[in-house]
Amino acid sequence: MGDIKLQRKDFLKSLIGAKNKTDNATNINNEIVEKEQNQNDPLFDKYARKELNARHHSNQMALPDMNGSFGARIGNVTSGLTQYAGAWTISEVSHLLKRTSFGIKKGDVDGLLSLNVSSAVNSLLSFSNPVLPTPTPINWYQNAVTDSTGVTLGGNWTNKSLPYLPNNNDSLVDYYRCLGLQYWNWGLCLNDNTSIREKMTLFWYHFIPIDHEVLRNLVLNTGTISNDYMQLLRTNCLGNFKLLIKAITKSPAMLFYLSGQYSTAAAPN
């Protein structure tokens, strides 16, 4: 692009002293456009796939051709499934925690450093039911709206479905429950014990999501069915994929989200 910048400077100079400004401007501008169209971008040439075919992988280092470029996009495989037997220092522990959890705490680093690699990985894959910030989402909205199911401040609402009654505040209660569920989920990410559970829960949620706002416009008790869906992902985050998908297709949250409640044998959706 350096040559083009110089041409643009010449173009500006030509505007000052040229007799036929319009012709000169048009000619120079055409040259610039032609130059830009013909100029190759080295980064694009290096990383762009030349053909829509299978990717090539090699266990050897990819070498450029005589022109200094790579003819195919090759991913150099430098690792395998062999158990890691390298160094186990603060650097490796920190890297592992960054990939499997949210943030790094000194206590977590010290705890994994005291273990060998295999035991450290096992500890990340072993977990119990959530305990922090609370075992379940709770009623934090009592001062804003009254819960018709009798759930008091700090109480667990996940097993209390709101009744379908006209002229009450249950729709607003449902809204606050959905907010509470979001806060509680992030609280687990920030405060839970060292494990890969919450990272995997969010992985599955982003892979097979539901939209809480869409559900709130379709059905009451969005907070309850959304919590059930998140618990389904959380419980099966390291389980059998086939069983997880089967359970998701029958979950109320996904059925409402994909309008499965309207699907019948005569008119399948």
Side-chain angles (χ1 to χ4, degrees):
M1 298 296 293
D3 295 338
I4 296 176
K5 289 182 179 179
L6 290 176
Q7 289 185 20
R8 286 173 179 164
K9 289 182 179 179
D10 295 336
F11 165 67
L12 294 176
K13 292 179 181 178
S14 67
L15 291 179
I16 299 174
K19 295 180 179 179
N20 193 338
K21 297 181 180 179
T22 303
D23 292 342
N24 286 342
T26 301
N27 293 335
I28 294 176
N29 189 54
N30 289 339
E31 291 178 2
I32 293 174
V33 172
E34 183 179 358
K35 178 82 172 181
E36 291 177 337
Q37 290 176 343
N38 295 332
Q39 184 171 354
N40 294 328
D41 186 338
L43 290 178
F44 179 82
D45 292 338
K46 179 179 180 181
Y47 293 108
R49 296 185 66 183
K50 304 300 187 298
E51 299 177 356
L52 293 176
N53 53 14
R55 293 174 182 261
H56 300 283
H57 297 279
S58 171
N59 58 4
Q60 299 178 352
M61 293 299 295
L63 300 176
D65 58 22
M66 58 184 301
N67 295 321
S69 61
F70 295 88
R73 186 175 182 179
I74 300 176
N76 295 316
V77 179
T78 58
S79 62
L81 298 178
T82 304
Q83 185 174 348
Y84 178 74
W88 186 240
T89 65
I90 292 179
S91 177
E92 287 75 30
V93 171
S94 299
H95 176 73
L96 179 62
L97 288 174
K98 288 178 181 178
R99 300 301 298 271
T100 57
S101 60
F102 299 88
I104 301 176
K105 301 176 184 177
K106 185 178 185 303
D108 296 337
V109 175
D110 294 340
L112 293 189
L113 273 176
S114 64
L115 306 174
N116 57 39
V117 177
S118 180
S119 298
V121 172
N122 287 337
S123 69
L124 293 170
L125 300 177
S126 302
F127 40 77
S128 57
N129 293 327
V131 293
L132 296 172
T134 55
T136 64
I138 61 173
N139 178 348
W140 58 276
Y141 47 81
Q142 178 171 296
N143 293 332
V145 62
T146 302
D147 192 314
S148 64
T149 63
V151 179
T152 58
L153 185 66
N156 172 22
W157 52 259
T158 60
N159 57 353
K160 300 287 186 179
S161 295
L162 297 166
Y164 289 84
L165 298 176
N167 303 322
N168 63 8
N169 292 320
D170 285 344
S171 178
L172 188 57
V173 173
D174 193 30
Y175 168 74
Y176 279 116
R177 286 184 174 187
C178 290
L179 285 183
L181 176 61
Q182 295 177 27
Y183 300 155
W184 183 76
N185 282 326
W186 284 117
L188 286 182
C189 296
L190 297 174
N191 302 303
D192 201 18
N193 296 327
T194 306
S195 75
I196 198 175
R197 180 186 59 204
E198 295 309 311
K199 203 70 172 280
M200 289 302 301
T201 300
L202 288 183
F203 166 80
W204 287 120
Y205 178 75
H206 285 280
F207 183 60
I208 317 172
I210 57 172
D211 191 319
H212 302 283
E213 291 297 323
V214 171
L215 289 178
R216 284 193 61 246
N217 295 324
L218 296 175
V219 61
L220 192 63
N221 288 306
T222 304
T224 302
I225 65 175
S226 295
N227 177 70
D228 291 343
Y229 187 77
M230 297 304 297
Q231 285 298 99
L232 175 63
L233 299 181
R234 184 171 287 111
T235 303
N236 297 277
C237 64
L238 297 181
N240 184 285
F241 178 70
K242 182 178 181 179
L243 296 178
L244 174 62
I245 295 300
K246 282 186 175 181
I248 285 176
T249 59
K250 296 184 291 184
S251 65
M254 187 59 73
L255 285 172
F256 278 106
Y257 182 51
L258 299 182
S259 301
Q261 74 272 27
Y262 301 118
S263 182
T264 65
N269 183 356

